[in-house]
PDB file of all heavy atoms in Angstrom:
ATOM      1  N   TYR A 414      34.273  30.556  69.765  1.00  0.00           N
ATOM      2  CA  TYR A 414      33.685  29.337  69.594  1.00  0.00           C
ATOM      3  C   TYR A 414      32.965  28.930  70.918  1.00  0.00           C
ATOM      4  O   TYR A 414      33.502  28.926  71.981  1.00  0.00           O
ATOM      5  CB  TYR A 414      34.685  28.219  69.280  1.00  0.00           C
ATOM      6  CG  TYR A 414      34.062  26.816  69.445  1.00  0.00           C
ATOM      7  CD1 TYR A 414      33.076  26.350  68.661  1.00  0.00           C
ATOM      8  CD2 TYR A 414      34.614  25.983  70.493  1.00  0.00           C
ATOM      9  CE1 TYR A 414      32.571  25.055  68.822  1.00  0.00           C
ATOM     10  CE2 TYR A 414      34.026  24.716  70.666  1.00  0.00           C
ATOM     11  CZ  TYR A 414      33.098  24.296  69.824  1.00  0.00           C
ATOM     12  OH  TYR A 414      32.514  22.970  69.950  1.00  0.00           O
ATOM     13  N   ASN A 530      30.475  21.971  60.641  1.00  0.00           N
ATOM     14  CA  ASN A 530      31.399  23.066  60.808  1.00  0.00           C
ATOM     15  C   ASN A 530      31.943  23.044  62.265  1.00  0.00           C
ATOM     16  O   ASN A 530      33.141  23.406  62.443  1.00  0.00           O
ATOM     17  CB  ASN A 530      30.713  24.407  60.601  1.00  0.00           C
ATOM     18  CG  ASN A 530      30.458  24.717  59.165  1.00  0.00           C
ATOM     19  OD1 ASN A 530      31.333  24.545  58.317  1.00  0.00           O
ATOM     20  ND2 ASN A 530      29.315  25.260  58.834  1.00  0.00           N
ATOM     21  N   GLU A 531      31.170  22.625  63.251  1.00  0.00           N
ATOM     22  CA  GLU A 531      31.657  22.494  64.568  1.00  0.00           C
ATOM     23  C   GLU A 531      32.691  21.361  64.660  1.00  0.00           C
ATOM     24  O   GLU A 531      33.734  21.622  65.328  1.00  0.00           O
ATOM     25  CB  GLU A 531      30.497  22.166  65.544  1.00  0.00           C
ATOM     26  CG  GLU A 531      30.986  22.164  67.032  1.00  0.00           C
ATOM     27  CD  GLU A 531      29.748  21.985  67.941  1.00  0.00           C
ATOM     28  OE1 GLU A 531      28.731  21.414  67.553  1.00  0.00           O
ATOM     29  OE2 GLU A 531      29.883  22.411  69.075  1.00  0.00           O
ATOM     30  N   GLU A 532      32.545  20.264  63.941  1.00  0.00           N
ATOM     31  CA  GLU A 532      33.511  19.202  63.948  1.00  0.00           C
ATOM     32  C   GLU A 532      34.824  19.776  63.322  1.00  0.00           C
ATOM     33  O   GLU A 532      35.900  19.374  63.828  1.00  0.00           O
ATOM     34  CB  GLU A 532      33.045  18.099  63.100  1.00  0.00           C
ATOM     35  CG  GLU A 532      32.019  17.195  63.813  1.00  0.00           C
ATOM     36  CD  GLU A 532      32.541  16.607  65.100  1.00  0.00           C
ATOM     37  OE1 GLU A 532      33.680  16.084  65.100  1.00  0.00           O
ATOM     38  OE2 GLU A 532      31.851  16.709  66.188  1.00  0.00           O
ATOM     39  N   GLN A 533      34.749  20.624  62.312  1.00  0.00           N
ATOM     40  CA  GLN A 533      36.000  21.181  61.741  1.00  0.00           C
ATOM     41  C   GLN A 533      36.691  22.095  62.728  1.00  0.00           C
ATOM     42  O   GLN A 533      37.964  22.075  62.868  1.00  0.00           O
ATOM     43  CB  GLN A 533      35.613  22.003  60.472  1.00  0.00           C
ATOM     44  CG  GLN A 533      35.465  21.096  59.258  1.00  0.00           C
ATOM     45  CD  GLN A 533      36.794  20.518  58.799  1.00  0.00           C
ATOM     46  OE1 GLN A 533      37.190  19.533  59.272  1.00  0.00           O
ATOM     47  NE2 GLN A 533      37.442  21.242  57.843  1.00  0.00           N
ATOM     48  N   VAL A 534      35.932  22.925  63.482  1.00  0.00           N
ATOM     49  CA  VAL A 534      36.554  23.782  64.480  1.00  0.00           C
ATOM     50  C   VAL A 534      37.252  22.980  65.519  1.00  0.00           C
ATOM     51  O   VAL A 534      38.385  23.173  65.926  1.00  0.00           O
ATOM     52  CB  VAL A 534      35.495  24.683  65.125  1.00  0.00           C
ATOM     53  CG1 VAL A 534      36.094  25.436  66.353  1.00  0.00           C
ATOM     54  CG2 VAL A 534      34.873  25.645  64.170  1.00  0.00           C
ATOM     55  N   LYS A 535      36.588  21.866  66.008  1.00  0.00           N
ATOM     56  CA  LYS A 535      37.269  20.979  66.980  1.00  0.00           C
ATOM     57  C   LYS A 535      38.500  20.341  66.403  1.00  0.00           C
ATOM     58  O   LYS A 535      39.506  20.143  67.099  1.00  0.00           O
ATOM     59  CB  LYS A 535      36.255  19.908  67.409  1.00  0.00           C
ATOM     60  CG  LYS A 535      35.071  20.444  68.283  1.00  0.00           C
ATOM     61  CD  LYS A 535      34.112  19.309  68.672  1.00  0.00           C
ATOM     62  CE  LYS A 535      33.007  19.810  69.466  1.00  0.00           C
ATOM     63  NZ  LYS A 535      32.003  18.775  69.824  1.00  0.00           N
ATOM     64  N   ASN A 536      38.421  19.971  65.171  1.00  0.00           N
ATOM     65  CA  ASN A 536      39.541  19.268  64.518  1.00  0.00           C
ATOM     66  C   ASN A 536      40.782  20.222  64.505  1.00  0.00           C
ATOM     67  O   ASN A 536      41.916  19.744  64.756  1.00  0.00           O
ATOM     68  CB  ASN A 536      39.178  18.840  63.110  1.00  0.00           C
ATOM     69  CG  ASN A 536      40.220  17.993  62.489  1.00  0.00           C
ATOM     70  OD1 ASN A 536      40.987  17.234  63.090  1.00  0.00           O
ATOM     71  ND2 ASN A 536      40.446  18.149  61.151  1.00  0.00           N
ATOM     72  N   PHE A 537      40.521  21.473  64.200  1.00  0.00           N
ATOM     73  CA  PHE A 537      41.592  22.483  64.144  1.00  0.00           C
ATOM     74  C   PHE A 537      42.187  22.687  65.543  1.00  0.00           C
ATOM     75  O   PHE A 537      43.388  22.722  65.740  1.00  0.00           O
ATOM     76  CB  PHE A 537      41.153  23.795  63.530  1.00  0.00           C
ATOM     77  CG  PHE A 537      41.331  23.865  62.022  1.00  0.00           C
ATOM     78  CD1 PHE A 537      40.323  23.614  61.207  1.00  0.00           C
ATOM     79  CD2 PHE A 537      42.520  24.267  61.516  1.00  0.00           C
ATOM     80  CE1 PHE A 537      40.437  23.673  59.819  1.00  0.00           C
ATOM     81  CE2 PHE A 537      42.705  24.334  60.086  1.00  0.00           C
ATOM     82  CZ  PHE A 537      41.627  24.066  59.258  1.00  0.00           C
ATOM     83  N   GLU A 538      41.237  22.846  66.483  1.00  0.00           N
ATOM     84  CA  GLU A 538      41.683  23.098  67.819  1.00  0.00           C
ATOM     85  C   GLU A 538      42.442  21.956  68.465  1.00  0.00           C
ATOM     86  O   GLU A 538      43.452  22.148  69.176  1.00  0.00           O
ATOM     87  CB  GLU A 538      40.501  23.438  68.732  1.00  0.00           C
ATOM     88  CG  GLU A 538      39.768  24.692  68.344  1.00  0.00           C
ATOM     89  CD  GLU A 538      40.569  25.910  68.783  1.00  0.00           C
ATOM     90  OE1 GLU A 538      41.453  25.803  69.590  1.00  0.00           O
ATOM     91  OE2 GLU A 538      40.252  27.025  68.283  1.00  0.00           O
ATOM     92  N   THR A 583      37.105  28.458  59.309  1.00  0.00           N
ATOM     93  CA  THR A 583      36.238  27.421  59.830  1.00  0.00           C
ATOM     94  C   THR A 583      35.284  27.956  60.953  1.00  0.00           C
ATOM     95  O   THR A 583      34.109  27.640  61.019  1.00  0.00           O
ATOM     96  CB  THR A 583      37.045  26.195  60.352  1.00  0.00           C
ATOM     97  OG1 THR A 583      37.859  25.765  59.250  1.00  0.00           O
ATOM     98  CG2 THR A 583      36.145  25.110  60.775  1.00  0.00           C
ATOM     99  N   LEU A 584      35.837  28.730  61.820  1.00  0.00           N
ATOM    100  CA  LEU A 584      35.067  29.336  62.895  1.00  0.00           C
ATOM    101  C   LEU A 584      34.027  30.335  62.278  1.00  0.00           C
ATOM    102  O   LEU A 584      32.891  30.278  62.851  1.00  0.00           O
ATOM    103  CB  LEU A 584      35.990  30.108  63.876  1.00  0.00           C
ATOM    104  CG  LEU A 584      35.343  30.793  65.068  1.00  0.00           C
ATOM    105  CD1 LEU A 584      34.507  29.846  65.885  1.00  0.00           C
ATOM    106  CD2 LEU A 584      36.418  31.490  65.988  1.00  0.00           C
TER     107      LEU A 584
END
Side-chain angles (χ1 to χ4, degrees):
Y414 165 68
N530 287 318
E531 185 174 27
E532 284 300 314
Q533 279 290 85
V534 173
K535 290 179 180 178
N536 187 33
F537 271 96
E538 293 288 345
T583 303
L584 180 55

